[in-house]
Amino acid sequence: MIAADKFKGSLTAVEVGRRLTAGLRSVHPALTVEALPVADGGDGTVAAALAAGFERRESVVSGPLGTPVTAAYALRGDTAVVEMAETSGLQHLPPGRFAPLTATTRGCGELLRAALDAGARTVVLGVGGSATTDGGAGLLTALGARLLTARGEPVPPGGGGLAALVSADLSGLDPRLATTEVILASDVDNPLTGPTGAAAVYGPQKGAGPEDVAALDAALRHYVTVLDRAGVPGAAALAEAPGAGAAGGLGYGALVGLGAAFRPGIEVMLDVLGFAAALDRAQLVITGEGSLDAQTLHGKAPAGVAAAARARGVEVLAVCGRLALTPEALREAGIRHAYALTDLEPDVERCVAEAGPLLERLAARLAQDL
């Protein structure tokens, strides 16, 4: 079984599966190969769900700058997979332009509402790759919350606008949320504020300079204070909860307003994708992603796949573009050996540009070794 994530910037998880299958069968034509693309909650999560048989749905929603974007979600029965990067991700910003203080998660709330309209009563909310640091304020207002300034006007979009927040009322949230299970699927467990919070850790990736980071962190703290003063249950405590800082604090909005339950993204997605049943059919699992490094060991897809397979006694190999883990670290993660594109082509730029053909060659080498 091939259960690999995307090679970011080169190949989708589906394309990784196809290339590996072709390479394996070039050596062993009769080999039985099943591909189950995986994701950890970030960008590519909807694509993985679609590859597993979910139906693609689309809706026009607000992008991070407020301009309309067409966003997709995945639906099967009454379960929806909503990926916030589809609405509020960095890919929706013009090249070279960031909006750390004003980017909004409103579109994510609009897409979640579209999923509710389609009958979803279990929503997997995959977060990651966001352009935003608004604490999920946009998400909540799109679903009916009122966040107002001293003049009784809605606060401006983005994390910077939260500094003007004076009153909050979540009683108008969509009543369907009360009977909907929302699962916050993320590969990060940061709190909302402080030195390991959303602004400090991830703000610079979204164009925030030191002054912006300080302003955003202060605005998020103020946001929590106002929600707490308004009597929102758990407002203060949930700011410190694992996952509250995910996607610029969207995690906090989901926890405090939607009653979401935080789970590591790869665990959620393996359940949603039917990994356990597929594992019953597998004698060998091949996982991977673009870079196998220290971050991989902290909730990324290959580590989750390896842990699940090891628990069932199924051997795991990995493929990647670049390998930055020692053999010992790989073994501790449950991966017997890893194959890297840089083993074939030392030039990283060529590895990125020619990832498909190189991955087929790498898969052929793996097949020969076995």
Side-chain angles (χ1 to χ4, degrees):
M1 178 169 62
I2 299 167
D5 201 349
K6 63 188 176 297
F7 279 33
K8 193 165 187 175
S10 299
L11 300 169
T12 67
V14 172
E15 291 168 338
V16 170
R18 289 173 181 161
R19 292 289 190 168
L20 286 173
T21 299
L24 293 168
R25 286 184 173 155
S26 71
V27 177
H28 298 297
L31 190 66
T32 300
V33 182
E34 181 176 340
L36 184 73
V38 297
D40 54 24
D43 50 322
T45 295
V46 164
L50 297 176
F54 279 64
E55 177 188 350
R56 180 184 179 89
R57 296 289 185 94
E58 291 185 348
S59 184
V60 177
V61 301
S62 304
L65 302 182
T67 52
V69 300
T70 299
Y73 65 96
L75 185 70
R76 183 167 64 190
D78 64 355
T79 298
V81 176
V82 175
E83 179 185 320
M84 74 86 57
E86 280 281 318
T87 68
S88 314
L90 286 165
Q91 73 266 28
H92 290 303
L93 296 179
R97 179 182 172 187
F98 294 99
L101 297 175
T102 58
T104 176
T105 56
R106 183 175 185 85
C108 187
E110 294 169 347
L111 192 63
L112 199 154
R113 191 173 64 227
L116 295 177
D117 291 343
R121 291 301 174 265
T122 297
V123 177
V124 175
L125 181 57
V127 299
S130 75
T132 59
T133 313
D134 76 347
L139 167 88
L140 295 177
T141 55
L143 290 166
R146 287 167 55 83
L147 302 175
L148 306 177
T149 67
R151 299 178 61 179
E153 299 171 346
V155 293
L162 293 174
L165 180 64
V166 168
S167 66
D169 180 3
L170 305 193
S171 64
L173 283 169
D174 193 314
R176 295 174 294 183
L177 291 168
T179 56
T180 300
E181 180 186 16
V182 179
I183 303 165
L184 177 65
S186 173
D187 65 352
V188 302
D189 58 4
N190 303 69
L192 179 63
T193 60
T196 59
V201 176
Y202 302 108
Q205 301 172 11
K206 305 168 189 183
E211 291 184 2
D212 295 331
V213 167
L216 286 167
D217 193 63
L220 291 172
R221 290 179 185 276
H222 176 66
Y223 175 48
V224 173
T225 298
V226 173
L227 290 180
D228 187 49
R229 195 168 59 222
V232 176
L238 288 172
E240 301 297 324
L250 178 83
Y252 177 70
L255 292 170
V256 78
L258 312 186
F262 170 77
R263 285 184 62 195
I266 184 58
E267 290 183 11
V268 177
M269 291 307 298
L270 291 183
D271 286 347
V272 168
L273 300 175
F275 181 77
L279 196 56
D280 288 338
R281 302 186 289 274
Q283 293 173 292
L284 173 70
V285 172
I286 301 173
T287 189
E289 63 180 348
S291 179
L292 284 180
D293 52 33
Q295 287 191 0
T296 302
L297 306 179
H298 297 284
K300 293 291 187 179
V305 168
R310 178 170 58 178
R312 299 275 287 279
V314 181
E315 187 172 321
V316 180
L317 299 176
V319 294
C320 58
R322 183 182 71 95
L323 177 62
L325 292 174
T326 64
E328 292 76 18
L330 288 170
R331 284 194 295 271
E332 288 178 8
I335 298 170
R336 193 185 90 179
H337 184 70
Y339 294 77
L341 298 187
T342 51
D343 295 339
L344 302 177
E345 173 51 69
D347 187 331
V348 174
E349 289 188 5
R350 288 192 64 184
C351 283
V352 172
E354 303 171 19
L358 286 170
L359 194 57
E360 287 192 29
R361 286 175 52 195
L362 201 66
R365 174 181 288 188
L366 185 155
Q368 290 164 350
D369 286 351
L370 295 177

